[in-house]
Amino acid sequence: MPSLRFSRFVLPFLLALWVFVPAQAQTRAQTQEPAKPASQCQMIAQALPGVIFARFNGPAADLAQAEADGTVAITYIGHSTFFIETPAGIRIATDYNGWYKPPALPTVVTMNKAHSSHYTRVPDPGIEHVLHGWRDDGGPADHDVVAGDAYIRNVPTDIRSWGGVMEANGNSIFIFEIAGLCIGHLGHLHHELTEKQYAEIGRLDVLMVPVDGGLTMGAESMSRVVERLRSALILPMHRRGPPIDHFLSMFEEGFDITFADTARVEVSVRSLPRRPTILVLKGV
């Protein structure tokens, strides 16, 4: 797949962004609503519908991705926990359960509640932001958190209870917008996504996807989600049961597959692969 060149789209997008964001802030100020950060991942996806995002090239892309000089480090810790380090030193642990210890105390942790291996009720009190992917009253979690150079938001999804009944809003897909990158963690996803959820997610450059083959979703259903999101870099996680080869076999066309000899990868907008690539980090 050739690299994405979208310079003819960038200027109209930037102009729309310049008009949209102040107008949005003014409207909220008039209604005395707290302003939420604008999601780059959503707005670019809405401005360029149907585009398959891969690596960005060209001076116009450089202008649109002014923060792209930064590099984000992602380390696989275990199960569904990744440790994300931003250029400004913010540390994020996903699906944090307290068992899999990151190398340093996180600034932010995200959690989901499908199983106890995805959350803890007693996080370290030194963690600044503890973000649950659910609400105890059953409503949808709603996070819009700025921590240093990271903007973190969520898209609620449902979970399947032990009896097989679907429980609304029990999981969240967390999205981390850092250094021009849109990084998504599917959590303990139990169903294929709706059009509304795809729209709320927007563009994802890096996707963390469970590949257990049944505890979350079957490999075929999960592969359809991955195909639709069409991220440049896909990081498998939550491998239980069938060998990972069963999941990987569904992506022989149109995807590159690489096995890393380390649990860590460093990524920036400029280093994103030209073709969608599934990178299996050490330990998965």
Side-chain angles (χ1 to χ4, degrees), residues 100-113:
Y100 297 99
K101 297 293 186 181
L105 184 69
T107 314
V108 182
V109 298
T110 65
M111 301 181 190
N112 278 301
K113 73 163 188 175

Side-chain angles (χ1 to χ4, degrees), residues 191-212:
H191 59 85
E192 294 191 38
L193 301 174
T194 66
E195 292 299 320
K196 180 176 183 291
Q197 287 166 330
Y198 280 119
E200 290 173 344
I201 292 168
R203 170 185 123 233
L204 290 181
D205 303 300
V206 180
L207 176 65
M208 301 164 178
V209 56
V211 294
D212 53 84

Side-chain angles (χ1 to χ4, degrees), residues 11-193:
L11 183 56
F13 165 71
L14 291 177
L15 290 173
L17 180 61
W18 180 76
V19 172
F20 172 75
V21 174
Q24 184 184 49
Q26 182 179 16
T27 300
R28 284 189 170 131
Q30 290 171 348
T31 59
Q32 296 184 340
E33 293 180 9
K36 292 184 178 182
S39 168
Q40 164 192 275
C41 308
Q42 285 180 306
M43 286 191 288
I44 290 180
Q46 291 166 2
L48 307 177
V51 169
I52 294 174
F53 292 93
R55 185 172 177 174
F56 297 91
N57 290 312
D62 291 346
L63 175 64
Q65 301 291 336
E67 297 178 339
D69 292 330
T71 296
V72 179
I74 302 173
T75 303
Y76 181 67
I77 303 299
H79 204 52
S80 293
T81 302
F82 289 88
F83 188 59
I84 304 170
E85 299 169 88
T86 78
I90 298 299
R91 301 177 299 273
I92 303 165
T94 65
D95 272 18
Y96 178 79
N97 58 24
W99 308 347
Y100 297 99
K101 297 293 186 181
L105 184 69
T107 314
V108 182
V109 298
T110 65
M111 301 181 190
N112 278 301
K113 73 163 188 175
H115 301 288
S116 60
S117 54
H118 296 260
Y119 73 96
T120 176
R121 292 289 190 180
V122 287
D124 189 304
I127 298 171
E128 186 175 347
H129 301 282
V130 177
L131 309 182
H132 289 180
W134 73 97
R135 276 184 11 196
D136 290 337
D137 65 1
D142 183 13
H143 297 293
D144 289 278
V145 174
V146 175
D149 58 340
Y151 167 42
I152 304 155
R153 60 189 179 89
N154 72 298
V155 176
T157 68
D158 302 338
I159 59 173
R160 184 178 57 252
S161 68
W162 288 108
V165 177
M166 295 302 287
E167 176 187 341
N169 306 313
N171 179 75
S172 279
I173 295 169
F174 281 95
I175 299 159
F176 312 94
E177 305 192 19
I178 307 165
L181 289 167
C182 304
I183 303 169
H185 186 285
L186 294 183
H188 212 277
L189 183 63
H190 283 175
H191 59 85
E192 294 191 38
L193 301 174

